[in-house]
Amino acid sequence: EYEATRRVEALRTAFEHYAIAAEKGHPDAQINYALALIDGAPSAGVAADAKRAIELLEEASANGSSSASRALGQILLNGHASIPSDPPQALRHFLKAANDGDAIAAEYAGKLLVRGERGIERNVAQARSLFERSISIEPRPDVYL
């Protein structure tokens, strides 16, 4: 019980530090705190606040964080909690992350463009280009052309 209490206290302190750093505009802190806000962490004193989470991710994305852009894309692709699904917006964020050098986002965008569904126009040529970019950034055997 003592160890569990210490872990909760450490987690609460970590989230407090993330919140402070996030408000100061540190992209990694914005991402980590935003991901905590999406579902909340009640035991650590973090209430769910999806609207604020999206704001933090958008700010980090606007400041060049490809990880934030990819996180936004993932959240918007299928929706989450009070955030509705918006695949075309998800694609926009994946493309931004891909342009910022994120191999995984390039792959996600390519998959969306190959399928061409859920409000996204099919574009096999652009998808192929994104797959090629993905493997040029980070070669992986699971990405096939």
Side-chain angles (χ1 to χ4, degrees), residues 37-119:
L37 287 172
I38 287 287
D39 291 319
S43 64
V46 178
D49 186 347
K51 182 179 181 228
R52 182 65 184 134
I54 295 299
E55 290 169 355
L56 287 168
L57 289 171
E58 287 175 342
E59 185 179 329
S61 174
N63 288 323
S65 170
S66 63
S67 296
S69 299
R70 180 171 17 113
L72 278 165
Q74 290 171 313
I75 291 165
L76 291 170
L77 183 59
N78 296 309
H80 187 82
S82 63
I83 303 164
S85 173
D86 189 342
Q89 283 291 9
L91 176 60
R92 185 175 68 80
H93 289 291
F94 287 141
L95 289 171
K96 181 178 183 325
N99 288 334
D100 289 338
D102 188 306
I104 295 169
E107 182 181 345
Y108 289 167
K111 287 178 180 179
L112 288 172
L113 288 164
V114 161
R115 292 183 190 121
E117 57 192 23
R118 298 173 61 193

